Amino acid sequence: RKNVGELDAYCRIAGGLTLLGIGIRVAQKPLKVAEGVTRFCPMLYLLDKDTMDWDNKLKKQIEVLTEVPIEE
């Protein structure tokens, strides 16, 4: 069951790859990339939370700022 929204997934992938790229040795970096790709976060699952609505909020904010509707 996905519990990570598209925007959050892209952020996790970018963050994880950035950490990999600069060579920081942290055990969480491959996990963040995997969470972004699979769009499932075990911590969010345990907390019974999700970030699925972030995408809609971002689209609405962009529409307000640009006054251009975003098509699905």
Side-chain angles (χ1 to χ4, degrees):
R1 181 180 124 227
K2 292 180 180 178
N3 65 358
V4 173
E6 190 174 330
L7 173 64
D8 191 13
Y10 290 139
C11 290
R12 289 170 186 261
I13 292 168
L17 291 174
T18 300
L19 290 173
L20 283 170
I22 59 176
I24 296 176
R25 297 284 178 188
V26 178
Q28 293 294 321
K29 61 188 171 197
L31 180 61
K32 292 296 173 201
V33 174
E35 289 171 355
V37 171
T38 63
R39 294 185 59 187
F40 176 79
C41 174
M43 187 59 71
L44 288 176
Y45 177 77
L46 291 173
L47 296 172
D48 196 28
K49 303 275 185 196
D50 67 52
T51 61
M52 300 296 283
D53 64 335
W54 287 12
D55 302 329
N56 292 331
K57 288 179 183 178
L58 177 63
K59 287 176 186 173
K60 287 179 185 176
Q61 193 66 22
I62 290 171
E63 287 175 350
V64 168
L65 293 173
T66 62
E67 298 178 1
V68 178
I70 296 176
E71 295 181 23
E72 297 282 326

